[in-house]
C-alpha cells in the first residue's frame, strides 16, 4: 500500500497553502482535492479582498494559481475524495473514493465548510447572479442597491450591517419573531436606519431574469405576501463544516467544527496552533474556524498547519 509523509485533505486556500509550505519543506505532500477542487471560492465570482490582487481576481483563477504554485514545488495534487479515515494508530489509514487506501504519517485536514442555503429551486438558479452566501465577498457589487439577507443569527446580522455600509436598503428576513444574535449585534441592527427587519417572514421564491435577481417573494405573519424589489439575496443561515468522516475520531465542537489547541480554552490553548485531539493530525481553514471564514485567514491557517506538521514530523 502507498505510504505518504504528509496527506492534505482539501483544496481551498488552506489546503493549497499547506501544500506550498510542506512541499517547500520537502515533505512531498499528496493533496486530495475533493469533490469541488478549489473549494468554496470557485463559486464566488470575483475575489477583491485577498491581498496582492489590486484589480481583484476570479475565484477560479486564484485557486488555479494556488494549485500551480503548490505543484511547482512538487505537491502531488490529485482528483479524488477522501471517504474514510482510521486515525486510531499511526500511520493513519485513509480511503480515497471508497476503494484506494493510503497510509499517512501526518494529515492536514482542510475540508472547509459549506454555506447553508434555503433549498429553493429559484435560489439555486441565481447562485452567482445575485444569490450569495458571502456578503464580504460579493456585497461590493450591490453598492447603492437594495438587497435582502436571510437569517437571524450573528452571521446574518453581521452581513446585514456590512451590507448597510454599501447598499441603499437592506431587508433582514427573519423566520421567527426574535433574533438569535447577541444583544449587542441586535442593538446595532435595530439602530441602523438602512436595515428593515422583517420578523416572521419566510422566503417563498427568489425572482429574477437573465440579468440576475430582481426580487424576492416573501410571506409574513398571517399569510401576508410581499414582493421585495432587491438585486442581491444573501444567505446568513450558517455553515456546515465538512467533518462527517472525522466524527467519533477527532474532537469536534457542538456544531461539528474541529477543535484545535489554538481554538481551545484555558491553559492548554496554544495561540494559533492547528493541532487536533490526535497527534499528527492538523486542521486548517473553515473546517476549524466558525468565526472568521475568510480566504486569507484560511490561507494563514494552512501555513500554520504546515509548520506544525513539519515540526511534528521532525520530532
Ligand atoms: P446560527 O445558527 O446562530 O443562526 C442561524 C440563523 O439562521 C438563525 O436565526 C436561524 O433561525 C436562521 N435559519 C436557519 N435555517 C433557516 C431557514 N431554513 N430559513 C430561515 N432562517 C433560517 O448561525 P450563525 O452562522 O449566525 O452563527 C454561528 C455561530 O457563529 C454562532 O455561535 C454565532 O454566535 C457565531 N458567530 C459570531 C459572530 C461574531 O461574534 N461576530 C459572527 C458570526 C457568527 P432560528 O433562530 O429560527 O433557528
Amino acid at each position: 500500500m502507498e505510504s505518504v509523509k504528509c496527506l492534505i485533505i482539501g483544496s481551498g486556500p488552506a489546503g493549497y497553502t499547506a501544500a506550498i509550505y510542506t512541499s517547500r519543506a520537502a515533505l512531498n505532500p499528496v493533496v486530495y482535492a475533493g469533490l469541488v477542487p478549489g473549494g468554496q471560492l470557485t463559486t464566488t465570482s470575483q475575489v477583491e479582498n485577498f491581498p496582492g490582487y489590486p484589480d481583484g481576481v476570479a475565484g477560479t483563477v486564484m485557486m488555479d494559481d494556488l494549485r500551480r504554485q503548490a505543484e511547482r514545488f512538487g505537491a502531488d495534487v490529485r482528483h479524488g475524495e477522501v471517504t474514510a479515515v482510521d486515525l486510531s494508530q499511526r500511520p493513519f489509514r485513509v480511503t480515497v473514493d471508497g476503494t484506494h487506501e493510503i497510509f499517512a504519517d501526518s494529515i492536514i485536514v482542510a475540508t472547509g465548510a459549506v454555506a447553508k442555503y434555503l433549498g429553493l429551486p429559484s435560489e439555486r438558479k441565481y447562485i452567482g447572479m445575485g444569490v450569495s452566501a458571502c456578503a464580504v465577498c460579493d456585497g461590493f457589487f450591490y453598492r447603492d442597491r437594495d438587497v435582502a439577507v436571510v437569517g437571524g443569527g450573528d452571521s446574518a446580522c453581521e452581513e446585514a450591517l456590512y451590507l448597510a455600509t454599501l447598499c441603499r436598503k437592506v431587508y433582514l428576513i427573519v423566520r421567527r419573531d426574535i433574533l438569535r444574535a447577541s444583544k449587542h449585534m441586535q442593538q446595532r441592527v435595530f439602530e441602523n436606519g438602512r436595515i428593515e427587519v422583517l420578523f416572521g417572514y419566510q422566503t417563498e421564491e427568489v425572482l429574477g431574469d437573465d440579468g440576475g435577481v430582481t426580487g424576492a417573494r416573501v410571506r409574513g405573519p398571517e399569510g401576508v405576501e410581499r414582493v421585495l424589489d432587491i438585486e442581491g439575496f444573501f444567505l446568513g443561515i450558517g455553515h456546515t463544516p465538512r467533518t462527517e468522516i472525522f466524527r467519533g475520531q477527532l474532537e469536534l465542537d457542538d456544531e461539528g467544527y474541529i477543535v484545535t489547541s489554538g481554538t481551545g480554552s484555558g491553559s492548554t490553548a496554544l495561540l494559533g496552533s492547528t493541532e487536533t485531539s490526535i497527534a499528527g493530525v492538523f486542521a486548517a481553514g473553515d473546517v476549524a474556524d466558525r468565526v472568521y471564514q475568510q480566504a486569507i485567514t484560511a490561507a494563514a491557517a494552512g501555513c500554520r498547519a504546515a509548520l506544525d506538521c513539519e515540526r511534528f514530523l521532525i520530532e
Side-chain angles (χ1 to χ4, degrees), residues 71-295:
E71 285 177 337
R72 187 176 136 223
F73 299 114
D76 181 355
V77 181
R78 301 178 183 175
H79 287 290
E81 196 198 1
V82 171
T83 46
V85 289
D86 177 355
L87 307 179
S88 58
Q89 57 180 11
R90 282 186 67 225
F92 307 116
R93 185 187 281 260
V94 174
T95 310
V96 180
D97 292 333
T99 50
H100 182 54
E101 296 216 312
I102 297 179
F103 280 129
D105 284 336
S106 65
I107 295 178
I108 295 176
V109 180
T111 47
V114 282
K116 291 181 190 161
Y117 286 83
L118 296 174
L120 301 169
S122 56
E123 170 196 54
R124 172 153 295 279
K125 184 172 169 190
Y126 294 109
I127 288 177
M129 291 176 67
V131 171
S132 166
C134 180
V136 178
C137 318
D138 297 326
F140 183 76
F141 303 108
Y142 302 94
R143 262 188 314 176
D144 301 324
R145 314 280 171 84
D146 293 353
V147 299
V149 177
V150 185
D154 282 318
S155 296
C157 289
E158 205 165 59
E159 291 205 349
L161 287 164
Y162 177 77
L163 290 166
T165 64
L166 303 166
C167 304
R168 198 169 50 188
K169 165 122 198 165
V170 181
Y171 296 98
L172 184 60
I173 305 171
V174 183
R175 66 179 173 186
R176 289 190 293 156
D177 57 359
I178 53 161
L179 292 173
R180 181 196 285 259
S182 62
K183 288 284 177 262
H184 173 68
M185 198 71 98
Q186 294 191 25
Q187 191 181 345
R188 289 178 58 205
V189 165
F190 293 139
E191 285 173 356
N192 192 303
R194 294 193 186 189
I195 302 176
E196 179 180 340
V197 185
L198 302 179
F199 280 115
Y201 277 82
Q202 299 261 22
T203 308
E204 299 206 320
E205 190 181 3
V206 179
L207 308 171
D209 57 25
D210 290 349
V213 169
T214 57
R217 189 161 53 76
V218 295
R219 195 170 294 282
E222 283 144 34
V224 177
E225 186 181 284
R226 261 184 88 169
V227 172
L228 309 176
D229 289 327
I230 50 160
E231 292 176 52
F233 184 83
F234 288 86
L235 283 308
I237 61 173
H239 283 79
T240 309
R242 305 198 54 201
T243 49
E244 311 80 40
I245 57 172
F246 306 106
R247 198 165 280 282
Q249 302 193 68
L250 291 180
E251 184 186 348
L252 307 179
D253 72 10
D254 54 0
E255 289 181 39
Y257 289 90
I258 296 176
V259 174
T260 59
S261 47
T263 54
S265 58
S267 56
T268 56
L270 196 59
L271 187 66
S273 168
T274 61
E275 288 168 15
T276 67
S277 55
I278 292 185
V281 181
F282 305 87
D286 288 6
V287 75
D289 174 7
R290 58 199 259 176
V291 179
Y292 298 103
Q293 305 192 331
Q294 300 297 304

